Amino acid sequence: MGKRYRKAIGELQLELVRLQHGLRSSGKRLLVIFEGRDAAGKGGTIKAITESLDTRGYRIAALGKPSEEEATQWYFQRYVAHLPSAGEFVLFDRSWYNRAVVEPAMGFCTVAQYEAFLDAVPAFEKLLADDGIILVKYWLAVDQAEQEQRFAERADDPLKRWKLSPVDLAARQKYAEMGKLRDVMIERTHADHAPWFVVDFNNQKRGRINLIRHLLQQVPLHEEAVPKVKLPKLKGKPRGEHVTGKALWVPDTLQESTD
């Protein structure tokens, strides 16, 4: 699937650049929420989406544990600060829906807080939609056997061990419970203005392609081609880089191959 994947993702990334251009020219605001089980592939998908985008036109919101001050605020308050401005694309790597699945499963919120959240979400998201924000919500689905294999790969790879938090490890024993909480979340917060879409991520590359293609179908702002840029001719010959001797050059340590 390597060549097919690279060809497909390249084509979709071009469409995403057009989408970003369409958002800027129209002033529309796009908010996409990525939820799912640990190791489902949220981070990799967000990276694939943003890889070719102008960094000034999108933001990734991946909020950590709330501070003591934030814990006393209106629950949605710290998330509101990350909502998109005109022409902007914001991607939430987990979101306010922590209170719908992770927090109740791990005992981080009370039953009353959980119920109050589910009651408040439809009205909160309706306010966002009524103000013109395009809101799309994805749940990345992965079977437990596949999830366990990815956990094992992370545990074995020192470059990926940081991805295994204490909460991730504790949540391994709550696969069924979190599935029930997910279903309640979807049933109580799915709406025409803020729909939930489920994507099969047992194969991460296939999941990324399907999700990105689906996202582009939800936001028809990528039909206009990105304007071409004509580079004016340089005056004179290209110059070399001559830096003042006060600066210190970093040594070139890469060994060139003699093959």
Side-chain angles (χ1 to χ4, degrees), residues 73-181:
Q73 298 172 347
W74 176 49
Y75 178 74
F76 296 99
Q77 188 167 336
R78 71 189 190 120
Y79 295 101
V80 168
H82 297 274
L83 295 177
S85 302
E88 195 174 32
F89 181 9
V90 173
L91 306 92
F92 270 88
D93 185 350
R94 294 198 184 278
S95 65
W96 46 82
Y97 282 105
N98 274 333
R99 180 144 291 181
V101 179
V102 176
E103 290 189 17
M106 303 305 299
F108 295 158
C109 69
T110 66
V111 174
Q113 289 173 324
Y114 168 71
E115 288 294 339
F117 169 80
L118 289 177
D119 288 340
V121 169
F124 173 67
E125 293 182 346
K126 185 68 163 56
L127 286 173
L128 302 184
D130 287 348
D131 199 54
I133 293 177
I134 303 169
L135 176 57
V136 186
K137 304 180 295 192
Y138 288 105
W139 177 271
L140 280 57
V142 60
D143 296 336
Q144 191 171 23
E146 178 62 28
Q147 183 188 41
E148 282 296 299
Q149 182 176 330
R150 294 175 191 176
F151 279 150
E153 290 173 356
R154 290 181 177 185
D156 289 340
D157 188 345
L159 298 179
K160 295 182 178 180
R161 286 175 193 155
W162 63 269
K163 295 183 178 183
L164 290 173
S165 71
V167 174
D168 295 340
L169 297 176
R172 288 177 58 230
Q173 306 301 329
K174 297 180 180 290
Y175 186 91
E177 180 181 348
M178 294 178 81
K180 293 177 181 178
L181 288 164

Side-chain angles (χ1 to χ4, degrees), residues 219-240:
V219 192
L221 291 171
H222 50 96
E223 298 175 356
E224 182 180 345
V226 178
K228 293 183 178 180
V229 176
K230 184 176 181 180
L231 295 177
K233 187 176 181 180
L234 281 176
K235 295 180 180 179
K237 296 181 179 179
R239 301 178 178 225

Side-chain angles (χ1 to χ4, degrees), residues 172-244:
R172 288 177 58 230
Q173 306 301 329
K174 297 180 180 290
Y175 186 91
E177 180 181 348
M178 294 178 81
K180 293 177 181 178
L181 288 164
R182 172 209 57 217
D183 288 347
V184 172
M185 173 189 76
I186 293 174
E187 289 167 4
R188 293 182 60 174
T189 64
H190 177 85
D192 290 342
H193 59 269
W196 274 108
F197 298 103
V198 180
V199 189
D200 184 346
F201 259 76
N202 283 297
N203 181 309
Q204 289 186 324
K205 289 183 177 180
R206 188 179 297 274
R208 285 176 203 155
I209 296 296
N210 291 334
L211 187 151
I212 297 171
R213 187 168 287 140
H214 181 271
L215 175 61
L216 289 165
Q217 292 169 352
Q218 309 312 302
V219 192
L221 291 171
H222 50 96
E223 298 175 356
E224 182 180 345
V226 178
K228 293 183 178 180
V229 176
K230 184 176 181 180
L231 295 177
K233 187 176 181 180
L234 281 176
K235 295 180 180 179
K237 296 181 179 179
R239 301 178 178 225
E241 187 79 285
H242 299 290
V243 183
T244 172

Side-chain angles (χ1 to χ4, degrees), residues 18 23 41-42 58-59 68 99 114 155 160 175 204 245:
R18 290 175 176 166
L23 288 170
K42 297 180 291 295
Y58 76 84
R59 284 184 290 113
E68 291 185 10
R99 180 144 291 181
Y114 168 71
K160 295 182 178 180
Y175 186 91
Q204 289 186 324

